[in-house]
C-alpha cells in the first residue's frame, strides 16, 4: 500500500465515521470516464460524453487567443462583462446571473444549499446523475420518478414522491440521457405546486439543440427557480470550462458561500465571444439536426429501437445488456456512452460528425449482428 493510498483510506475512514464521504463533484467527463476508464486510442471515435466535435466557434477561438496574453491577471472585469453580456442576451438583470467554470459547479452548489436530511432531491429516471450524487453526500433523501410514456418528467409523480420534504426538484430539459422534452406547462406547474422553501433547478444544458422555449421567464418573474446553462455543449467549450446560473439575487446569494467559482480567462473570453457571435446556435442546431435525423432513419431502416431525440444524443435499445454492447463497440474503437441502472438495455450515443457517425454505424452493425 503506497503512502497516498493509506492516506486517502484514513481520510475516507474518518469522513465515513463523521457520516460524510468526500464530495464527488461529478461532471459528464467524470461520469463518462467511470464507464470507460483509461485513455481512448488517439484514432478512437468519442461518442460518450455529449461533447461537441466542432469545438469552439471561430469568434471564440480568436477571443481566447487574445486572452492568453492577458492570462497573468485574474481579469475580474471580464467576469462582470460575461455576466452583463449574458444578462443582455437573456433579458434579465445582471444581478440575476452568476458565471462559473462550467455548470456542474452551480448544479452541485444548489443541491448542497437546499438539500439535506429531510430535504429531498427529486429527479427523473433516467436522468443526469450528478445532482443525486451531491444529494447523497449531504444525506438527503433521493426520489427518482420514472419518465412518462412520452419520456417527459412526470411532474405529478415528482410532487407526490417528495411530499412536504422537498429541497430541490431537478428538471433537465431536454433531458440527459434521453434527449426528450418536458412541456413548459409541466415545469410551470411544478414551480406553482412545489412545497414552500424548495427550489426548481432547471438544467438547460442542451436547450439550444432544439430551440424549445426556455424557462428564463420564470427567473425573470422572480420565481423559486435556478436555471443553468453551459458552454460545453452547443458552444463546444467543454474542456475550456464556462457556465452560467440564473436566479433571483437572494437565491444566488445562497450558493455563493461554497467557493469562488472563478473562471479561467480563456473560458470567460470564449463565452463572451460565443454569446456575441451571430448565427452560431442556429447553424450548429441545424448541423446536429441533420446528423440526428440521418441516424434515426438509419436505426429505423435497421429495425433498431431508440427514443426519438431532439438533442445531441440518442438512447438506443440493445438486445443484450448495454454494457456488453459498449464494450464490443470500444473494441472497435468507437466509444459510446453509458447505460442507466433503470434502463440496462439502452446505450446513450452522442452525435458526432458525419464521418464519425459512419464509423459508428459500421461498428454497430457488426456488434448487433454478432
Ligand atoms: N447538466 C447536464 C445535464 C449535463 O449533461 C452536463 C454535462 O454534460 C452539465 C450539466 C455540466 O456540464 P459542464 O460542467 O461541462 O458545464
Amino acid at each position: 500500500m503506497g503512502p497516498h493510498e493509506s492516506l486517502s483510506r484514513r481520510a475516507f475512514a474518518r469522513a465515513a465515521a463523521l457520516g460524510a464521504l468526500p464530495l464527488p463533484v461529478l461532471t459528464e467527463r467524470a461520469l463518462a470516464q467511470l464507464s470507460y476508464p483509461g485513455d481512448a486510442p488517439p484514432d478512437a471515435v468519442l461518442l460518450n460524453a455529449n461533447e461537441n466535435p466542432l469545438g469552439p466557434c471561430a469568434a471564440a477561438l480568436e477571443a481566447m487567443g487574445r486572452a492568453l496574453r492577458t492570462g497573468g491577471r485574474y481579469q475580474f472585469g471580464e467576469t462582470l462583462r460575461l455576466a452583463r453580456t449574458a444578462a443582455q442576451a437573456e433579458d434579465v438583470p445582471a444581478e440575476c446571473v452568476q458565471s462559473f467554470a462550467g455548470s456542474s459547479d452551480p448544479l452541485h452548489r444548489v443541491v448542497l444549499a437546499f438539500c439535506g436530511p429531510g430535504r429531498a432531491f427529486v429527479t427523473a429516471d433516467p436522468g443526469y446523475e450528478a445532482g443525486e450524487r451531491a444529494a447523497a453526500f449531504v444525506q438527503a433523501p433521493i426520489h427518482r420518478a420514472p419518465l412518462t410514456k412520452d419520456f417527459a418528467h412526470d411532474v405529478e409523480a415528482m410532487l407526490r414522491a417528495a411530499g412536504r420534504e422537498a429541497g430541490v426538484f431537478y428538471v433537465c430539459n431536454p433531458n440527459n440521457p434521453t434527449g426528450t422534452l418536458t412541456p413548459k406547462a409541466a415545469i410551470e406547474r411544478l414551480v406553482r405546486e412545489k412545497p414552500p422553501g424548495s427550489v426548481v433547478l432547471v438544467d438547460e444544458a442542451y436547450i439550444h439543440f432544439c430551440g424549445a422555449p426556455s424557462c428564463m421567464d420564470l427567473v425573470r418573474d422572480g420565481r423559486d427557480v435556478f436555471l443553468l446553462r453551459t458552454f460545453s455543449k452547443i458552444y463546444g467549450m467543454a474542456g475550456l470550462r464556462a457556465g452560467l446560473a440564473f436566479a433571483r439575487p437572494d437565491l444566488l446569494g445562497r450558493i455563493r458561500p461554497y467557493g469562488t467559482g472563478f473562471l479561467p480567462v480563456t473560458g470567460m473570453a470564449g463565452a463572451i465571444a460565443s454569446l456575441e457571435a451571430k448565427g452560431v446556435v442556429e447553424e450548429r442546431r441545424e448541423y446536429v439536426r441533420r446528423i440526428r435525423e440521418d441516424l434515426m432513419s438509419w436505426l429505423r431502416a435497421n429495425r433498431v429501437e431508440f427514443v426519438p431525440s431532439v438533442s445531441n444524443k440518442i438512447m438506443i435499445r440493445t438486445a443484450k445488456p448495454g454494457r456488453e454492447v459498449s464494450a464490443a463497440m470500444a473494441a472497435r474503437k468507437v466509444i459510446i456512452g453509458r447505460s442507466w441502472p433503470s434502463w440496462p438495455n439502452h446505450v446513450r450515443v452522442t452525435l458526432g460528425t458525419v464521418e464519425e457517425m459512419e464509423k459508428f454505424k459500421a461498428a454497430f452493425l457488426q456488434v448487433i449482428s454478432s
Side-chain angles (χ1 to χ4, degrees):
M1 192 189 294
H4 289 102
E5 198 180 348
S6 71
L7 233 185
S8 67
R9 276 201 191 173
R10 245 184 287 136
F12 188 86
R14 198 169 48 234
L18 290 169
L21 294 171
L23 173 62
V25 178
L26 286 175
T27 57
E28 185 55 57
R29 174 185 187 269
L31 290 159
Q33 271 215 313
L34 285 177
S35 60
Y36 181 75
D39 221 1
D43 55 342
V45 174
L46 299 176
L47 308 176
N48 61 333
N50 293 345
E51 295 155 331
N52 187 337
L54 301 178
C57 67
L61 281 176
E62 213 175 290
M64 288 188 287
R66 284 195 304 272
L68 284 177
R69 274 176 243 119
T70 68
R73 303 250 175 224
Y74 296 119
Q75 300 284 353
F76 184 66
E78 286 298 279
T79 311
L80 298 177
R81 198 155 81 83
L82 174 54
R84 276 200 300 268
T85 308
Q88 202 172 8
E90 298 297 338
D91 192 22
V92 294
E95 58 269 25
C96 293
V97 187
Q98 174 94 41
S99 57
F100 296 91
S103 66
S104 302
D105 181 332
L107 196 164
H108 282 75
R109 290 169 187 243
V110 172
V111 177
L112 298 185
F114 289 89
C115 291
R119 291 186 300 156
F121 181 78
V122 190
T123 186
D125 190 15
Y128 183 54
E129 311 95 315
E132 69 175 76
R133 305 281 181 101
F137 174 76
V138 289
Q139 298 174 342
I142 296 165
H143 299 294
R144 299 182 196 93
L147 296 173
T148 66
K149 64 175 182 4
D150 299 324
F151 307 105
H153 285 61
D154 189 339
V155 160
E156 183 142 7
M158 289 173 82
L159 284 165
R160 206 178 327 112
R164 308 304 296 168
E165 66 162 18
V168 172
F169 291 89
Y170 176 67
V171 178
C172 184
N173 205 31
N175 191 36
N176 181 11
T178 52
T180 49
L181 276 171
T182 296
K184 191 165 169 201
I187 303 175
E188 287 166 345
R189 175 180 168 199
L190 185 57
V191 173
R192 254 193 335 267
E193 297 185 14
K194 68 170 187 55
S198 62
V199 291
V200 177
L201 175 55
V202 183
D203 187 338
E204 293 190 350
Y206 301 94
I207 193 90
H208 294 115
F209 288 108
C210 63
S214 162
C215 283
M216 197 64 79
D217 56 325
L218 299 177
V219 173
R220 236 173 264 135
D221 293 347
R223 313 302 295 268
D224 295 336
V225 169
F226 281 91
L227 188 147
L228 303 182
R229 293 275 179 81
T230 176
F231 291 85
S232 295
K233 307 301 171 186
I234 204 140
Y235 292 118
M237 288 180 43
L240 287 152
R241 313 305 295 141
L244 297 166
F246 297 85
R248 268 191 342 246
D250 63 298
L251 293 178
L252 288 179
R254 298 272 300 270
I255 66 169
R256 217 162 271 136
Y258 291 91
T260 61
F262 156 65
L263 284 77
V265 292
T266 41
M268 291 191 280
I272 294 168
S274 296
L275 289 175
E276 288 177 340
K278 299 264 178 288
V280 171
V281 169
E282 293 76 10
E283 273 166 33
R284 290 175 166 213
R285 179 186 301 153
E286 177 57 15
Y287 179 86
V288 172
R289 186 191 67 77
R290 283 192 194 184
I291 287 168
R292 187 175 62 229
E293 292 299 327
D294 174 75
L295 181 63
M296 294 199 293
S297 307
W298 183 87
L299 291 168
R300 276 187 205 105
N302 285 283
R303 296 198 169 73
V304 177
E305 285 180 46
F306 62 93
V307 177
S309 160
V310 297
S311 187
N312 67 336
K313 56 203 164 291
I314 299 186
M315 281 294 256
I316 298 179
R317 196 178 169 87
T318 52
K320 47 190 161 191
R323 195 182 288 216
E324 288 175 26
V325 173
S326 300
M329 292 292 286
R332 290 165 175 79
K333 296 193 194 172
V334 179
I335 318 299
I336 60 172
R338 56 193 180 275
S339 299
W340 265 248
S342 57
W343 287 27
N345 280 36
H346 281 80
V347 285
R348 191 193 65 192
V349 176
T350 303
L351 303 173
T353 61
V354 173
E355 195 190 351
E356 287 171 335
M357 296 322 287
E358 291 311 313
K359 289 186 182 162
F360 165 82
K361 289 175 190 169
F364 197 70
L365 268 191
Q366 284 177 9
V367 168
I368 58 174
S369 52
S370 64

